[in-house]
Every structure is written in C-alpha cells, then in structure tokens.
C-alpha cells in the first residue's frame, strides 16, 4: 500500500509540474502579440512551440486518466504458505532410503510421524538407515520379527524432540525414543566429539551420525550406515528358566498284606510238601524195620 500511494503521489506531482509548465507556455504564447517576448518568434519556432504544447497537454491528460487506475489496483497477494512437512517426501528426495521408506509404510508409522510432526511443539529427530545399512543385516533378520517388533524397530529410530548436532553435545544419555513409551526401555546413547561429530549406540551396534539430510525445526533427519538394533530385541537373551520340580507323588508300592496274601499259598504248599516228604520217610523206615524183622526170623 505504501508503494502504491508513493506512485500516486509521484504521478500527482508530475501532473502538477506539467500543469505549471502548460500554464507557463500558454502565458508566453498569449503574450506574444503584445510584444512582451524578448525575441521574435518565427513561423518554424511557432509551429514547434505549438507541437510542444500539444504533446505536453496529451501527456498531462494521459497522466490524469491513469492515476485513478493506479490507485484502484489491488495489493499484491502474499506468497502461499508452505505445505505441511512430510518425512517420506524428504526421504524420497534424499534417495538411498527405499528400504526404510518401505518399512515405514508397511508398519504405517509414517502416518503417525507425519501427524505428530505437524502438531508437536518439540519436533522430531529421525535416524534414517540407508539401503546399504539394511543390506548389511543378516539374511532373514526382519522376517524373524513379528509385527509388534517391526513397529518397535522403526520407532526406535525416532527421538521425540528436535536435536541439532549442537544440542546433542548437552543431551543427557540415555535418550528415550518413540518406542520407549512409559516403560523406560528402548533407549539409546549419543556421544559427541570435539570436532562436532557424533555417534549413536544401542548396546548392540554403534555408528557415526552423518551430515543431516534435513535440519530445520521441527524436524532433523540424520542418515546412518547401520540399522539401529535395540538391545531389548537383538541383545543376548536370558537363559530359559529350568522346569519346576514336579509335585506329584510317586506310585506307592504294594501293601504288605497283599504280599503276604500272595505268598501264603507258596508257603502253604512248601509246608505241605515237607509234611508229605516226612511221611514218606517214616513209612520207608517202618518198611525197612519190618523187612529186617522178617529176615531175622528166618535166620533163627
């Protein structure tokens, strides 16, 4: 608006000056017959003066007609505001993050992060593994994770606030991640050196933090050459607990009464055999005595 009125004021000033020039020329032109001009005007000079006056009048008329048009022009429209931040779009533009983008979309974490990114006062920091980082994993690493573990793995690469390399120097380790929640697990450590370099460590892997792909509040994106494997999933697992001792009582042996009852026939049969054998011996002795008696009688 200031520039518009400035232009209008300039036009108005030009109009006033032109009007004064016209009046002056007109005055000189009307005074010529009375002999007030110091020098006589020839026919050629008169013609040139008339042409000049006509040109000035035409220009003044044009200025007067265009001045309202200049005043009525609307002010220039302000530039259109920038659209909302989109993490996926930034990664696509950066290139070499196809595996991470695919994992973000499969777990639908990209929707959560983009929504939080545009509605958070703290911002976000993302460690983005390159395609080479995913290529360095053992075969079947991602396929061995269930859906919940895949979500935790992706969220483990996101810090719930904006960190520049300078802010990392004063941060207190361990730093919570988006996967930490209220449980206090799934944290990582970021250490810095004197030459403004930083490393990130999970307890399983450690890798340098490269030059940011994007670093303007509320978002910072740092490429990393290793997938950040959380200790809670990929760390040494505790040994399996030993099975609890069984509380079931062993089978009781057969009762003695049953055994005695079972042995009774055997004992009885043994006693009967001994009795029969004694009778046989007795009858044999009696028979032998009788034979001896008969033999003795014959001798006598």
């Amino acid at each position: 608006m200031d520039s518009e009125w400035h232009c209008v004021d300039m036009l108005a000033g030009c109009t006033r000056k032109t009007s004064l020039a016209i009046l002056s020329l007109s005055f000189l032109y009307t005074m010529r017959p009375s002999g007030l001009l110091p020098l006589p005007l020839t026919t050629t000079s008169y013609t040139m003066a008339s042409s000049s006056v006509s040109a000035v009048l035409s220009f003044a008329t044009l200025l007067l007609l265009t001045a309202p048009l200049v005043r009525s022009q609307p002010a220039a429209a302000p530039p259109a505001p920038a659209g909302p931040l989109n993490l996926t779009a930034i990664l696509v533009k950066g290139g070499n993050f196809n595996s991470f983008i695919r994992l973000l979309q499969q777990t639908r974490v990209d929707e959560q992060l983009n929504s939080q990114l545009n509605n958070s006062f703290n911002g976000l920091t993302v460690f983005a593994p390159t395609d080479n980082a995913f290529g360095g994993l053992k075969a079947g690493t991602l396929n061995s994770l269930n859906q919940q573990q895949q979500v935790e793995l992706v969220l483990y690469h996101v810090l719930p606030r904006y960190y520049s390399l300078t802010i990392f120097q004063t941060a207190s380790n361990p730093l919570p991640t988006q996967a930490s929640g209220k449980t206090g697990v799934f944290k990582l450590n970021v250490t810095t050196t004197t030459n403004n370099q930083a490393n990130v460590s999970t307890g399983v892997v450690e890798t340098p933090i490269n030059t940011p792909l994007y670093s303007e509040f509320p978002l910072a994106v740092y490429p990393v050459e290793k997938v950040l494997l959380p200790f809670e999933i990929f760390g040494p697992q505790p040994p399996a607990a030993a099975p609890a001792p069984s509380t079931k009582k062993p089978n009781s042996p057969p009762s003695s009464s049953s055994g005695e009852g079972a042995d009774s026939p055997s004992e009885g049969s043994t006693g009967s055999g001994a009795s029969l054998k004694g009778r046989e011996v007795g009858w044999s002795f009696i028979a032998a005595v009788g034979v001896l008696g008969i033999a003795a009688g014959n001798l006598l």
Side-chain angles (χ1 to χ4, degrees):
M1 293 297 293
D2 293 339
S3 59
E4 177 184 338
W5 287 109
H6 180 67
C7 293
V8 172
D9 292 339
M10 290 179 64
L11 289 173
C14 292
T15 303
R16 287 194 297 270
K17 290 180 181 179
T18 304
S19 301
L20 290 175
I22 293 171
L23 291 174
S24 299
L25 289 173
S26 301
F27 176 76
L28 293 175
Y29 181 77
T30 54
M31 293 296 294
R32 186 185 64 81
S34 61
L36 295 179
L37 287 175
L39 295 175
L41 292 175
T42 63
T43 303
T44 303
S45 300
Y46 178 77
T47 303
M48 292 178 62
S50 300
S51 300
S52 300
V53 171
S54 299
V56 171
L57 288 172
S58 299
F59 179 71
T61 303
L62 179 64
L63 291 177
L64 291 173
L65 292 175
T66 56
L69 296 177
V70 174
R71 182 184 298 272
S72 62
Q73 287 181 352
L85 282 174
N86 187 292
L87 173 61
T88 305
I90 292 173
L91 293 174
V92 169
K93 185 177 180 180
N96 198 28
F97 299 99
N98 296 321
S99 298
F100 188 51
I101 293 172
R102 185 164 52 251
L103 194 58
L104 281 167
Q105 294 174 341
Q106 287 177 353
T107 57
R108 304 189 70 176
V109 172
D110 60 331
E111 299 176 6
Q112 172 187 341
L113 295 181
N114 287 329
S115 176
Q116 182 176 351
L117 185 62
N118 292 282
N119 295 282
S120 172
F121 295 102
N122 296 324
L124 294 174
T125 299
V126 179
F127 296 112
T130 62
D131 289 337
N132 293 333
F134 280 95
L137 292 175
K138 293 181 180 179
T141 299
L142 296 180
N143 292 333
S144 65
L145 303 177
N146 57 40
Q147 185 176 6
Q148 178 63 28
Q149 289 174 329
Q150 289 182 357
V151 172
E152 291 171 342
L153 175 63
V154 177
L155 292 177
Y156 189 69
H157 289 75
V158 184
L159 305 181
R161 60 163 293 184
Y162 171 83
Y163 285 93
S164 65
L165 289 175
T166 304
I167 297 176
F168 275 134
Q169 295 178 353
T170 57
S172 300
N173 288 309
L175 300 178
T177 66
Q178 285 288 93
S180 298
K182 298 180 180 180
T183 59
V185 296
F186 288 98
K187 295 183 177 181
L188 47 76
N189 295 311
V190 175
T191 56
T192 57
T193 59
T194 55
N195 57 352
N196 205 27
Q197 296 294 317
N199 296 325
V200 55
S201 173
T202 70
V204 178
V205 297
E206 182 175 357
T207 184
I209 299 175
N210 294 329
T211 303
L213 176 67
Y214 185 94
S215 182
E216 184 176 348
F217 186 86
L219 176 64
V221 180
Y222 297 96
V224 289
E225 293 301 327
K226 289 185 179 180
V227 179
L228 304 182
L229 304 178
F231 185 86
E232 288 76 8
I233 298 177
F234 297 94
Q237 300 298 317
S246 177
T247 58
K248 184 178 180 180
K249 295 182 179 179
N251 294 332
S252 57
S255 61
S256 57
S257 58
S258 306
E260 291 174 359
D263 294 338
S264 297
S266 176
E267 292 175 356
S269 60
T270 303
S272 301
S275 177
L276 290 174
K277 187 178 292 185
R279 292 193 187 100
E280 291 176 356
V281 172
W283 285 113
S284 298
F285 179 77
I286 293 172
V289 172
V291 171
L292 289 175
I294 294 171
N298 294 331
L299 291 176
L300 296 176

